[in-house]
Amino acid sequence: MNCVPIGFVSSPYKIRGDAPKQGRLTDEVSIITLDPAYMDAAEGLCIGDDLFVLCWFDRSDRTVLKSRKFGEEQNPLRGVFSTRSPNRPNPIALTLVKLVSVDGCGLTVRGLEALDKTPVVDIKPYSDGIDTPRND
Amino acid sequence: MNCVPIGFVSSPYKIRGDAPKQGRLTDEVSIITLDPAYMDAAEGLCIGDDLFVLCWFDRSDRTVLKSRKFGEEQNPLRGVFSTRSPNRPNPIALTLVKLVSVDGCGLTVRGLEALDKTPVVDIKPYSDGIDTPRND
């Protein structure tokens, strides 16, 4: 189960302390530069789209099974599958962003919290119909 | 960027033709059997939780860059990053499910469309605060 990078993030966050806990907390933009080999897969993306970006957090600790919310000592330890901690067995981050502009292979998005040079592994359109909780 | 299975799906869908286009379209339950090595990471999951399940769709075609919605001939070809097609460079599926019950390593969930024996690579809690579109 080998992931390939479809592109890389250029962001203002160079080291872990720079990044917000969640991209939602900032208006910063980042650029996803797609590998030209995958440009055909981006056809149909439109300015203003809400997109899930799946990144491979290559600077995460994959051995961590429990963590504290926001890494703060006063919060209780919880299993990482019940948190959004970047440290987890498969360090795939899920972030809902807004597509701001497209310039060739460069997708400018608002709301990503990934560090500079983070590999991107997938992009998916958000859909109200399937991405909101079930009522049952 | 090597993914490890944290568990496997047991579902009523044995071959691709069996599965619904989206798990949302069915009330069927599936069981995610966690690898005991990752049980600590599941601590804190609660019945009724809305969870994103990330599966590795091992029977997908990773060479496909464009596809037609629902695979239907009358729909136009679109880049797979603007669709939820299971066929994509990294076949990671994202499905929002409801946790129905927990029995040891077995998590019973409603709303998963994964085929029987599909590897699971991550589980994340849904959060209104970050998983709904931005207003800007």
Side-chain angles (χ1 to χ4, degrees):
Chain A
M1 305 203 298
N2 185 39
C3 280
V4 295
I6 60 155
F8 289 88
V9 173
S10 300
S11 88
Y13 315 123
K14 306 301 176 194
I15 58 168
R16 282 184 76 156
D18 292 346
K21 298 298 182 192
Q22 297 291 347
R24 176 61 65 107
L25 305 176
T26 169
D27 279 338
E28 286 286 359
V29 296
S30 300
I31 297 173
I32 299 169
T33 304
L34 293 174
D35 181 326
Y38 298 107
M39 276 299 291
D40 278 354
E43 198 179 292
L45 294 181
C46 299
I47 310 301
D49 280 356
D50 297 298
L51 302 174
F52 283 117
V53 175
L54 281 69
C55 286
W56 184 270
F57 273 10
D58 54 337
R59 280 149 278 181
S60 289
D61 183 344
R62 300 182 65 172
T63 67
V64 171
L65 296 182
K66 291 192 180 189
S67 70
R68 297 180 199 277
K69 198 169 184 183
F70 303 134
E72 291 169 6
E73 204 52 42
Q74 70 270 27
N75 293 326
L77 273 175
R78 298 189 60 169
V80 292
F81 298 152
S82 74
T83 78
R84 298 290 279 256
S85 170
N87 300 316
R88 47 208 314 119
N90 294 299
I92 301 167
L94 175 70
T95 312
L96 188 57
V97 305
K98 185 83 78 180
L99 183 58
V100 174
S101 66
V102 178
D103 180 11
C105 291
L107 309 178
T108 299
V109 301
R110 176 166 287 127
L112 203 60
E113 76 276 19
L115 295 178
D116 193 44
K117 301 185 169 56
T118 295
V120 178
V121 295
D122 202 8
I123 297 171
K124 298 180 188 292
Y126 169 88
S127 166
D128 271 335
I130 58 175
D131 297 317
T132 52
R134 301 173 64 99
N135 291 322
D136 53 15
Chain B
M1 307 206 298
N2 186 41
C3 281
V4 295
I6 60 155
F8 288 88
V9 173
S10 301
S11 89
Y13 315 122
K14 306 302 176 195
I15 58 167
R16 283 185 74 156
D18 292 347
K21 297 297 182 192
Q22 297 292 346
R24 176 61 64 104
L25 305 176
T26 168
D27 280 337
E28 286 286 359
V29 295
S30 300
I31 298 173
I32 298 170
T33 303
L34 292 175
D35 182 325
Y38 298 107
M39 274 301 288
D40 278 354
E43 200 179 289
L45 294 181
C46 299
I47 310 300
D49 280 355
D50 298 298
L51 302 173
F52 283 116
V53 175
L54 281 69
C55 286
W56 185 270
F57 273 10
D58 55 336
R59 281 150 277 183
S60 289
D61 183 343
R62 300 182 64 171
T63 67
V64 171
L65 297 183
K66 292 193 180 190
S67 71
R68 297 179 199 279
K69 197 169 184 181
F70 304 134
E72 290 170 6
E73 203 52 42
Q74 70 271 25
N75 293 326
L77 272 175
R78 298 189 60 169
V80 292
F81 298 152
S82 74
T83 78
R84 298 291 279 256
S85 169
N87 299 316
R88 49 209 310 119
N90 293 299
I92 301 168
L94 175 69
T95 311
L96 187 57
V97 306
K98 185 82 79 179
L99 182 58
V100 174
S101 66
V102 179
D103 181 10
C105 291
L107 309 178
T108 299
V109 301
R110 177 166 287 128
L112 202 60
E113 75 277 19
L115 296 178
D116 194 43
K117 301 184 169 57
T118 296
V120 179
V121 294
D122 202 9
I123 297 172
K124 298 179 190 293
Y126 170 88
S127 166
D128 270 335
I130 56 174
D131 296 317
T132 51
R134 299 173 65 99
N135 291 321
D136 52 17

